[in-house]
């Protein structure tokens, strides 16, 4: 039986590099430096400003974190 998250991971893999996808990595800078998704931007979710989000509301946005949430 498949885990529900597997489908989401497949969709994300297929979308990596797409111009309408913005990926935010909320891991610590140290964890981010060890490895992250291609194109991801490291952010501190507690201090993130609205201006850091894409202006185009049609842009798909993904946040991920290994352990901080």
């Amino acid at each position: 039986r498949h885990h529900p998250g597997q489908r989401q991971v497949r969709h994300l893999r297929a979308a990596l590099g797409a111009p309408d996808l913005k990926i935010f990595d909320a891991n610590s800078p140290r964890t981010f430096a060890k490895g992250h998704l291609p194109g991801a931007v490291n952010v501190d979710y507690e201090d993130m400003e609205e201006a850091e989000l894409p202006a185009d509301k049609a842009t798909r946005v993904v946040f991920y974190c290994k352990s901080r949430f």
Side-chain angles (χ1 to χ4, degrees):
R1 187 164 190 214
H2 293 286
H3 186 275
Q6 289 177 334
R7 179 176 33 177
Q8 293 165 337
V9 170
R10 281 197 313 267
H11 287 293
L12 179 58
R13 267 196 202 122
L16 287 176
D20 68 334
L21 179 68
K22 183 74 172 182
I23 303 172
F24 294 98
D25 180 323
N27 286 299
S28 70
R30 182 177 175 177
T31 300
F32 181 82
K34 289 180 181 179
H36 53 272
L37 290 174
V41 176
N42 190 223
V43 296
D44 182 341
Y45 72 94
E46 292 179 332
D47 293 324
M48 189 170 184
E49 300 288 331
E50 185 176 346
E52 295 177 74
L53 294 170
D56 183 351
K57 300 300 181 198
T59 301
R60 296 175 291 169
V61 178
V62 173
F63 284 86
Y64 74 93
C65 179
K66 180 178 177 181
S67 63
R68 285 178 57 184
F69 290 105

